[in-house]
Amino acid sequence: MNTELLGIYLNDHLGGAMAGTELARRIGRTHPELRALAGDIEADREELLDVMRSYGVEPRPHKAAIGWLTEKAGRLKLNGRLLGRSPLSDVLELETLRIGIEGKAAMWRALSTLPGDQERFDRLLRRAEGQADLVDQYRLRIAPKAFNSPHVSGVDVERTFTVASTPEGVTEYLRDFARAEQWDPGTVTCTRLDDGPVEVGSRWRNVSTFLGRKTELVYELTRDDASGLRFVGTNDTATSTDDISITAGSAPGTTKISYHAHLDFRGIAKLGAPVAKLALEKLGNDTEKNLIRVLGDVR
């Protein structure tokens, strides 16, 4: 057996495995339903390393580094928006992952023609085929939504996490936007502008710090239904929309929260959008931590 050529072949696939692992992790952060898939793909990379050892092939670090850089560079692909993710990002990433999985399956098929652990290669091939089917099903389910989505501008941040509170308790807590002082890291003060029960149409004056400056927006509760809440804040230069999806978690007494913040600038303020994107990402991380803190961490 020409181990030199086999080494080149396996190291090339190792670079692809690194890119696939990084991409699967990123997809899993956006789509929690696919987090288990990311774990399986990482396990496949470990299997490949073990197969390489069994053939006496040394991993070449620069190949893994190229795979890592390739995945990062893939994020620069145009997706119809200058900043942040678009619905098209999901479709393109899933198609890229699907192609990578097919390449991995082709590798297992090729290795099954060589002396080695045939049972292992058959098992890994079946797993790759299952992964490809899962990605295809998910991709085809979200594609219509992506292609029918309205055109929007601005910057976005999304986080999905689970808290140790019931959906009813989470909704009741978040419905009063004045409590943003407790969970929104940027909020300085948030004061109700009207009276009576909190309902659609209720308004709050929110004073917050963003990019080192104090900003005042008037927020209105524009949606309050079984699927969650929406708050829209406006001032002369920007519109901020917080969509909060609230569903029952997998364990009793827990809730899955999907938080989507969209910030749209007007006029000359649009020039600050690239910097705002970075700040909004950090704000999203801190908001997730604070909401878990006040609503309960799932241990």
Side-chain angles (χ1 to χ4, degrees):
M1 185 186 301
N2 189 328
T3 55
E4 181 181 357
L5 294 179
L6 181 62
I8 294 171
Y9 177 76
L10 293 178
N11 271 288
D12 283 346
H13 272 284
L14 182 61
M18 174 60 77
T21 298
E22 289 293 314
L23 178 57
R25 285 173 180 164
R26 181 148 59 96
I27 290 172
R29 287 193 290 269
T30 307
H31 302 283
E33 301 90 339
L34 297 178
R35 283 178 183 168
L37 174 65
D40 284 347
I41 289 175
E42 186 166 5
D44 287 342
R45 185 174 68 88
E46 294 298 324
E47 293 260 18
L48 175 56
L49 285 168
D50 193 52
V51 168
M52 293 172 70
R53 285 190 289 267
S54 73
Y55 285 120
V57 172
E58 289 292 326
R60 298 175 183 174
H62 72 280
K63 290 285 188 178
I66 290 172
W68 184 87
L69 289 171
T70 298
E71 191 280 327
K72 303 304 177 189
R75 303 186 187 194
L76 301 177
K77 183 174 178 62
L78 294 177
N79 58 16
R81 294 204 188 154
L82 178 61
L83 295 162
R85 296 179 61 80
S86 82
L88 187 58
S89 299
D90 292 328
V91 177
L92 292 172
E93 287 178 352
L94 288 167
E95 288 184 354
T96 301
L97 185 61
R98 174 65 174 78
I99 292 169
I101 292 171
E102 181 54 42
K104 176 172 61 180
M107 175 189 65
W108 298 135
R109 291 189 190 97
L111 291 177
S112 69
T113 67
L114 303 179
D117 188 343
Q118 301 301 315
E119 185 177 341
R120 168 189 254 184
F121 296 142
D122 288 343
R123 171 176 58 82
L124 291 171
L125 177 58
R126 288 194 301 271
R127 184 156 75 177
E129 290 171 344
Q131 293 168 355
D133 287 342
L134 175 63
V135 171
D136 260 349
Q137 292 172 16
Y138 201 85
R139 178 179 64 91
L140 295 175
R141 189 164 78 244
I142 68 171
K145 179 181 177 182
F147 297 132
N148 290 316
S149 62
H151 176 73
V152 295
S153 60
V155 296
D156 297 84
V157 63
E158 297 179 75
R159 296 292 184 273
T160 298
F161 49 94
T162 302
V163 297
S165 298
T166 65
E168 296 78 13
V170 170
T171 301
E172 181 62 27
Y173 176 80
L174 293 177
R175 182 180 284 119
D176 186 354
F177 200 64
R179 295 195 178 104
E181 295 179 6
Q182 301 171 17
W183 57 265
D184 180 9
T187 294
V188 178
T189 62
C190 192
T191 309
R192 179 87 181 270
L193 294 176
D194 42 36
D195 300 315
V198 174
E199 57 189 6
V200 171
S202 294
R203 298 163 69 243
W204 296 259
R205 177 178 290 108
N206 181 282
V207 178
S208 60
T209 56
F210 189 67
L211 296 175
R213 300 182 61 181
K214 275 194 174 182
T215 304
E216 182 176 314
L217 295 95
V218 173
Y219 276 86
E220 180 177 342
L221 177 61
T222 62
R223 179 169 65 85
D224 180 359
D225 54 37
S227 61
L229 306 164
R230 177 182 296 137
F231 298 94
V232 178
T234 58
N235 62 16
D236 291 339
T237 60
T239 297
S240 175
T241 303
D242 289 355
D243 269 305
I244 307 173
S245 173
I246 301 168
T247 56
S250 57
T254 65
T255 301
K256 184 172 78 170
I257 298 175
S258 294
Y259 176 83
H260 176 200
H262 177 76
L263 190 57
D264 202 10
F265 295 97
R266 288 188 286 276
I268 196 171
K270 290 183 179 180
L271 298 177
V275 178
K277 173 60 177 175
L278 297 176
L280 198 60
E281 285 291 339
K282 182 180 184 306
L283 198 63
N285 291 336
D286 293 342
T287 297
E288 177 179 346
K289 291 176 184 176
N290 286 349
L291 283 171
I292 290 174
R293 174 178 53 80
V294 298
L295 292 171
D297 192 0
V298 177
R299 299 293 182 177

